[in-house]
Amino acid sequence: HADMAMYQAKQNGRNNVQFFCPSHAVVAQAQMAIERKLKDAVRGNAFHLHYQPIFELGSRRVVSVEALLRWNAADIGPDRFIPVAESTGMINSIGKWLLREAARQSRSWREAGLPPVPISVNVSVIEFREQGFARRLLGMLAEEGLKPDAIQVEVTETAIMENIDHAAAVLFELKQAGVKILLDDFGTGYSSLAYLVKLPLNKLKIDKTFILPSPHSSASQAVTNAMVALGRALGLEVVAEGVESEGLLDFVQGQGCHQAQGFHLAPPMSGAAFCEWYLDGHARQADLH
Ligand code: C2E
Ligand code: MG
Ligand code: MG
Ligand code: MG
């Protein structure tokens, strides 16, 4: 019976919710409550960005930061509100604001005396699928007086595989202009490796679910090992996510990752906090081994 209701809900399209059991009704209600609050947040522009440093393991220096979306004053993380923003289309206006904000932050760090630190921005499948995404991004960078290497784009396997021809066209346009592309959450989606190898990617980010399990089982180590080897063989920079301890830092370095990101290295920080942190000399962590 539940399968049948689910089937009908699917037939009725993605935005059409059908209730077929009480627990689903509760979930849908919670979803709608977030939706209402999110609408106000979009109207009131109640978001800010945090920036998490990414270190090169060899030189032990910060090579970029990842911009992570935060909802002001709300105790809800992006893992929960971004799916709602996606299903309602609100992600498009959030994403436009976010790119502008990252560009503005990049300029203000330069004005404060920081060397150029590329900002990696997560692009939702919904934004990525929009016609003219690459053109808009490049136009925005030009308007803000930034070079294309000021912003890097993080896309997921899911976004790429949804429409491989479109993805290839967008990625080639960005690459040609000098914008670097990261494949995020690598290993968690379905991708056709045959297609992936043909795309102009610069970096592969190994999802934290492959790094975090500790102590490492030999099976999960084998998987991580194979992903790093694949990335390296394709000439990509391999970034490890979720480095929460010294032990994990040793692990990802031993696996041959080039770069790492994680709470053990540095947490996500406000733009002002990152600037201070950088100027205090933390961007060159000689004590990382
Ligand atoms: P992601 O792109 O894979 O981002 C990495 C997430 O891992 C971030 O969570 C970050 O805070 C967290 N993280 C970093 N180091 C560690 C660590 O050592 N251990 C653990 N356990 N976690 C760590 P956050 O900020 O909650 O973001 C979650 C996800 O939400 C992101 O995953 C991304 O998919 C999405 N997201 C965040 N900001 C944006 C955005 O601006 N636009 C879009 N479309 N999605 C975003
Ligand atoms: Mg990311
Ligand atoms: Mg990631
Ligand atoms: Mg992830």
Side-chain angles (χ1 to χ4, degrees):
H1 175 74
D3 282 345
M4 193 60 197
M6 179 72 97
Y7 175 73
Q8 277 167 359
K10 279 190 180 147
Q11 291 291 299
N12 288 338
R14 298 181 72 196
N15 297 323
N16 201 331
V17 179
Q18 289 209 351
F19 305 102
F20 56 86
C21 80
S23 71
H24 279 78
V26 171
V27 170
Q29 248 163 23
Q31 178 92 354
M32 268 150 59
I34 296 182
E35 208 173 300
R36 271 196 308 275
K37 283 192 214 145
L38 201 58
K39 214 175 260 169
D40 291 339
V42 170
R43 241 184 258 125
N45 204 6
F47 299 97
H48 62 279
L49 292 177
H50 273 181
Y51 301 89
Q52 187 176 30
I54 295 160
F55 286 80
E56 187 171 68
L57 290 169
S59 67
R60 299 165 194 183
R61 284 167 182 258
V62 169
V63 286
S64 60
V65 292
E66 180 175 12
L68 296 162
L69 187 61
R70 298 291 178 261
W71 185 349
N72 301 350
D75 201 18
I76 305 178
D79 275 334
R80 275 189 61 208
F81 72 77
I82 283 175
V84 180
E86 287 180 332
S87 69
T88 53
M90 287 188 258
I91 194 70
N92 284 313
S93 49
I94 296 174
K96 279 182 195 133
W97 166 80
L98 189 151
L99 283 172
R100 237 349 125 178
E101 176 65 14
R104 197 201 54 75
Q105 183 64 74
S106 175
R107 272 213 329 267
S108 102
W109 284 338
R110 291 309 299 278
E111 284 158 19
L114 262 58
V117 184
I119 301 178
S120 225
V121 169
N122 293 284
V123 173
S124 151
V125 55
I126 310 291
E127 302 170 80
F128 190 72
R129 98 167 46 123
E130 289 274 297
Q131 284 301 321
F133 168 75
R135 193 172 25 80
R136 257 206 323 281
L137 171 58
L138 297 172
M140 188 279 294
L141 286 168
E143 275 168 40
E144 297 288 334
L146 291 171
K147 294 207 191 109
D149 61 6
I151 298 284
Q152 307 182 345
V153 164
E154 299 201 5
V155 278
T156 61
E157 292 170 275
T158 319
I160 288 176
M161 290 303 147
E162 183 188 72
N163 183 341
I164 189 85
D165 293 331
H166 171 76
V170 174
L171 297 184
F172 275 105
E173 189 176 349
L174 290 174
K175 189 204 178 163
Q176 219 154 34
V179 176
K180 285 194 176 173
I181 319 283
L182 284 81
L183 186 63
D184 202 0
D185 299 346
F186 183 60
T188 64
Y190 294 100
S191 36
S192 156
L193 293 177
Y195 281 117
L196 273 191
V197 302
K198 291 185 193 149
L199 293 172
L201 303 169
N202 300 94
K203 307 189 196 188
L204 207 60
K205 249 197 190 184
I206 301 195
D207 194 71
K208 54 178 172 279
T209 51
F210 298 101
I211 308 293
L212 275 174
S214 174
H216 290 277
S217 71
S218 56
S220 93
Q221 274 198 28
V223 172
T224 311
N225 201 284
M227 292 195 296
V228 176
L230 175 68
R232 293 186 68 104
L234 294 174
L236 305 177
E237 289 179 296
V238 181
V239 189
E241 212 181 60
V243 173
E244 286 188 357
S245 65
E246 193 65 31
L248 288 176
L249 184 59
D250 288 342
F251 171 65
V252 300
Q253 200 154 16
Q255 292 283 323
C257 294
H258 301 100
Q259 299 174 6
Q261 172 180 10
F263 298 153
H264 178 64
L265 298 168
M269 301 171 242
S270 72
F274 173 76
C275 191
E276 208 169 297
W277 178 91
Y278 197 106
L279 295 172
D280 279 349
H282 296 292
R284 261 173 281 117
Q285 291 216 338
D287 55 340
L288 290 180
H289 6 256

